Amino acid sequence: MKKIIGISFSLAFVLLSSVSMQAQTAQHGMSSSEYQTAYNKYSGTQKMRLADVSVYNRNGQQTYAAIWDNKTGPSWVARHAMGEAGYQAEVNTQKQAGYRPDRISAADINGTVIFACIFNKTSAAWEARHNMSAQQYQTEYNNWVGTKGYRLVEVCGYKRNGQETYAAVWEKSSGPSYVARHAMSASQFQTEFDTQYGNGYKPVRISGFEAGGQTRYAAIFEKMNDGVYARSALTEYNYQAEYDNNWGTGSKLKHISGFNVNGKVYFAALWMGSGLSGTDLSFINNKVKKYMDDFNIPGLSIAVMKDAKLVYARGYGQADKSNGNMVSPNTLFRIASVSKPITAAAIMRLTETTNLKLSDKLFGPTGLLGDYCATSSNCVDKADAEKITVQSCLEHTTGWTDDAVWAQYQLNNTDIIKWALKNYSQGTTPGVKYKYINFDYFLLGRVIEKKSGQSYENYVKNNILNKCGVTKMRIGSDNAAGKAPNEVVYYTDNTGDPYALKLTRMDANGGWIASPIDLLKFAAGMDGLNNRADFISSGTINTMHTISTGDGASDYAKGLKVNGEWWMHNGCMPGTLATLVHFKNGISVAMTINIRPKEDDCHWSGMYPLAKDIAESSVVWPAYNLF
């Protein structure tokens, strides 16, 4: 392997500060026509700057990835879908007009090399070469850098006639010192990356490609103090996850290289800057990773909101251990009993939009759900069953001591209610004593259906979630085969089989799947703050936060646990642990994992302390809003 080392003539250094949250759009997997449509939209209609473009082979078709930024810069033009002759002709034309290639990408598409390029206006002298073998590239480099004093500003590796091939651009200009490498295997690139990073050099170009059936890289590293996050050999799924993860920390995508090795698409990419300081990022990362290590957690997603503004969101670990798919802020998880505040909010909205009252009874001649106990033999405890109200369900004071939500999975919703009334008696009179029973919220789901005339899921989507800007939440599947797109795989820690549950039975008490960002949007819709519109009034919010008078209720209100430090709800069931907590300092944290650690005691031993540590830390949260 030949290694090129280039040191610029200027000793100026680049200091990268945290990026501002200017608008950015990045897309991948686009056909040539789809890319043209996107280009017309973003660069034409929206006047955004094309910051990078990459052409690659996907299933034998030329495919594009691109980045558009809402920022200024030198005048530019872009071309794509060019053959070798067309690319050379375009280079000649643009040189006459005062433009040089700033981004070059090339790919072998069924034996034909296709180029995409961005040209920037410049007054500096420059030279470009393409279709170079590794040896020819080395010779040209030595000439332009070593002899003539130019600096390498772009390099692209690609396969041509099955051989390792390069395109490059040299410019007569100053800049930070740099190091260039090419013909690197994946392991050599990782070693080089580690070495250069340790020496203070960060990658500004990474070009991935195939040569001889193996992954190869070419790269340029520049001397700089901070601000670069690089990943290579990302699958399409994991590239999207990394993009979402970096978006959630305020980092901006600066460079993208798509490439195909043995029929499979990979990406290399660079992000720069962050909305948080390096110290604050390390604090959060170290806290999260310690929790994951301590409790053997495969995948975790976390989001943080300050004063109803989303300020941090990131996924950690694996959504699916079988294929290495990563967790992102948009990955969906079962949220278990964090579903209860959603159901409670739907009930509270119905009290504002219909004649529903919290004092309404569920059973009996005038009951919301019907006269199930018309014949005394139908109810083991007719007198107390007919005292169950909407409020006693919200506050878990129905008097039941057994939880029918887990029983008789073969029964439909109507028949499980009949079965419960016939087999389970109220241990105490409804409204008197608190006991956490999931079936209470199952019944509230049926109340919502009765009063709205819609299915529980549809009512919540239309009247709660959509008003919060939440579009991807849904009731989860009863089995692994029904897993939603972008949903995690669930694992067990000897706490039961995650796929032996019936989420369709548990819809209103524990059936939702969501991302932590979804949960924070929901929380912002009922927090009484002005940054996002609430879907219920301040008076109704206060009612929802009023703690039950039932014996033993302690801090349980109506679908929320409330004390002077926070309001929150946690959720735990086999394969799942989740939390949504709003602290008195204005910080809200939502977190989900795809296992239920037997040592974490439904989040109190690990997840809640983690959320509390982050919320009450000295982290300086950014002023922007990622919602």
Side-chain angles (χ1 to χ4, degrees):
M1 180 188 75
K2 299 178 178 65
K3 291 186 178 181
I4 299 170
I5 300 178
I7 303 298
S8 70
F9 292 98
S10 170
L11 295 180
F13 295 97
V14 173
L15 174 62
L16 292 177
S17 61
S18 296
V19 299
S20 62
M21 289 309 294
Q22 296 173 327
Q24 180 180 84
T25 295
Q27 295 188 13
H28 65 285
M30 296 178 287
S31 68
S32 180
S33 61
E34 289 170 336
Y35 168 61
Q36 184 65 61
T37 298
Y39 180 91
N40 294 342
K41 175 182 178 181
Y42 297 116
S43 295
T45 305
Q46 298 185 15
K47 307 299 183 185
M48 297 180 76
R49 183 180 187 84
L50 183 65
D52 204 359
V53 61
S54 177
V55 59
Y56 55 98
N57 184 331
R58 186 176 189 271
N59 299 326
Q61 304 295 317
Q62 58 175 294
T63 310
Y64 292 86
I67 309 167
W68 287 269
D69 281 330
N70 187 16
K71 68 176 184 180
T72 60
S75 178
W76 60 277
V77 295
R79 300 289 185 265
H80 73 288
M82 298 177 289
E84 294 174 84
Y87 168 69
Q88 182 62 64
E90 194 65 39
V91 169
N92 295 340
T93 297
Q94 296 303 332
K95 189 166 190 176
Q96 289 296 316
Y99 292 78
R100 77 154 172 85
D102 185 66
R103 295 288 195 275
I104 303 172
S105 179
D108 180 322
I109 311 295
N110 301 322
T112 299
V113 176
I114 298 296
F115 284 84
C117 190
I118 303 173
F119 299 86
N120 280 349
K121 191 84 169 179
T122 181
S123 60
W126 59 270
E127 291 294 330
R129 299 288 185 270
H130 68 287
N131 288 351
M132 297 177 288
S133 67
Q135 182 177 357
Q136 291 170 330
Y137 171 47
Q138 181 71 62
T139 300
E140 291 285 351
Y141 183 92
N142 293 342
N143 175 47
W144 293 105
V145 175
T147 304
K148 298 185 177 181
Y150 285 58
R151 65 183 280 112
L152 181 70
V153 293
E154 175 68 326
V155 62
C156 170
Y158 55 99
K159 182 174 70 173
R160 181 176 184 267
N161 297 327
Q163 302 300 309
E164 173 185 344
T165 309
Y166 293 90
V169 181
W170 295 267
E171 184 178 76
K172 188 74 170 180
S173 62
S174 61
S177 62
Y178 72 92
V179 174
R181 297 286 188 265
H182 71 293
M184 295 178 288
S185 66
S187 61
Q188 289 168 332
F189 172 71
Q190 184 62 60
T191 299
E192 194 65 38
F193 177 89
D194 294 341
T195 299
Q196 297 304 332
Y197 206 91
N199 292 333
Y201 289 81
K202 312 296 169 58
V204 293
R205 296 286 192 279
I206 303 173
S207 178
F209 60 103
E210 178 185 349
Q214 302 296 316
T215 302
R216 291 289 181 265
Y217 292 99
I220 303 173
F221 301 84
E222 287 186 357
K223 189 82 168 181
M224 62 180 72
N225 289 340
D226 201 359
V228 177
Y229 178 72
R231 289 297 305 271
S232 61
L234 292 166
T235 63
E236 294 178 274
Y237 186 99
N238 284 346
Y239 164 64
Q240 184 65 58
E242 278 289 14
Y243 182 87
D244 294 341
N245 281 330
N246 281 278
W247 164 84
T249 61
S251 295
K252 294 186 72 174
L253 183 65
K254 303 299 290 185
H255 178 48
I256 179 67
S257 172
F259 56 102
N260 187 305
V261 179
N262 295 322
K264 189 172 183 179
V265 173
Y266 297 94
F267 290 93
L270 299 175
W271 289 265
M272 289 188 177
S274 172
L276 286 83
S277 70
T279 299
D280 287 344
L281 280 174
S282 294
F283 169 79
I284 296 171
N285 287 338
N286 291 339
K287 284 283 185 181
V288 171
K289 290 176 180 178
K290 185 178 188 306
Y291 171 61
M292 294 179 71
D293 289 343
D294 287 349
F295 292 93
N296 195 28
I297 295 166
L300 176 150
S301 188
I302 180 173
V304 179
M305 181 170 69
K306 183 178 188 297
D307 299 329
K309 296 179 180 180
L310 180 65
V311 293
Y312 181 86
R314 185 168 181 84
Y316 295 82
Q318 295 181 320
D320 185 343
K321 295 192 292 186
S322 70
N323 56 22
N325 282 353
M326 298 164 47
V327 176
S328 84
N330 296 317
T331 305
L332 298 175
F333 291 73
R334 293 175 177 176
I335 62 171
S337 287
V338 182
S339 300
K340 289 182 174 67
I342 297 167
T343 299
I347 288 289
M348 301 310 292
R349 180 165 175 80
L350 282 169
T351 66
E352 294 184 340
T353 59
T354 73
N355 62 355
L356 179 69
K357 299 184 294 295
L358 298 189
S359 59
D360 286 347
K361 295 179 179 179
L362 271 61
F363 306 115
T366 60
L368 292 168
L369 299 184
D371 195 8
Y372 278 80
C373 300
T375 303
S376 59
S377 60
N378 291 343
C379 292
V380 67
D381 192 348
K382 173 181 169 65
D384 280 336
E386 292 186 350
K387 295 177 182 176
I388 294 173
T389 65
V390 173
Q391 182 165 338
S392 63
C393 287
L394 284 168
E395 297 179 350
H396 293 299
T397 58
T398 54
W400 268 311
T401 57
D402 295 304
D403 204 335
V405 81
W406 311 112
Q408 306 295 316
Y409 275 172
Q410 79 282 4
L411 298 179
N412 62 29
N413 287 353
T414 298
D415 288 342
I416 188 59
I417 296 173
K418 292 178 180 178
W419 185 91
L421 291 168
K422 189 171 183 177
N423 289 275
Y424 291 161
S425 66
Q426 272 59 44
T428 57
T429 299
V432 173
K433 186 173 182 179
Y434 168 86
K435 182 173 175 58
Y436 191 88
I437 296 291
N438 286 281
F439 197 63
D440 297 343
Y441 274 72
F442 166 85
L443 292 173
L444 291 174
R446 313 295 68 83
V447 170
I448 291 168
E449 291 174 336
K450 186 73 173 182
K451 294 300 294 185
S452 70
Q454 302 177 49
S455 71
Y456 164 78
E457 183 176 9
N458 284 344
Y459 178 81
V460 171
K461 285 181 176 179
N462 294 335
N463 295 274
I464 303 296
L465 301 180
N466 287 351
K467 292 182 179 298
C468 301
V470 176
T471 60
K472 294 184 179 179
M473 281 181 62
R474 53 169 281 185
I475 300 300
S477 172
D478 292 344
N479 52 59
K483 184 171 76 74
N486 208 30
E487 184 182 1
V488 298
V489 173
Y490 303 97
Y491 299 95
T492 184
D493 190 13
N494 297 321
T495 54
D497 180 2
Y499 296 105
L501 302 168
K502 189 171 184 178
L503 265 70
T504 50
R505 160 75 63 79
M506 300 162 57
D507 57 357
N509 70 272
W512 287 97
I513 61 173
S515 71
I517 293 176
D518 292 333
L519 296 180
L520 291 184
K521 285 182 178 180
F522 163 74
M526 57 169 198
D527 61 4
L529 300 178
N530 294 326
N531 289 324
R532 290 177 71 87
D534 291 333
F535 53 79
I536 50 179
S537 69
S538 58
T540 302
I541 292 171
N542 290 336
T543 299
M544 193 170 172
H545 284 239
T546 301
I547 296 172
S548 169
T549 58
D551 181 31
S554 178
D555 58 9
Y556 206 90
K558 296 167 182 62
L560 292 171
K561 299 177 182 179
V562 180
N563 68 19
E565 300 297 316
W566 42 251
W567 56 261
M568 57 88 69
H569 211 293
N570 60 311
C572 55
M573 63 188 184
T576 306
L577 200 59
T579 193
L580 170 61
V581 53
H582 173 81
F583 294 92
K584 67 178 182 180
N585 64 1
I587 302 293
S588 300
V589 180
M591 204 180 319
T592 51
I593 61 177
N594 56 346
I595 196 169
R596 177 183 174 178
K598 60 183 178 181
E599 302 298 329
D600 195 6
D601 188 28
C602 277
H603 103 321
W604 291 110
S605 299
M607 183 177 282
Y608 170 74
L610 171 60
K612 186 174 188 291
D613 285 348
I614 291 173
E616 297 181 353
S617 70
S618 58
V619 168
V620 179
W621 300 106
Y624 56 64
N625 185 1
L626 293 171
F627 278 142

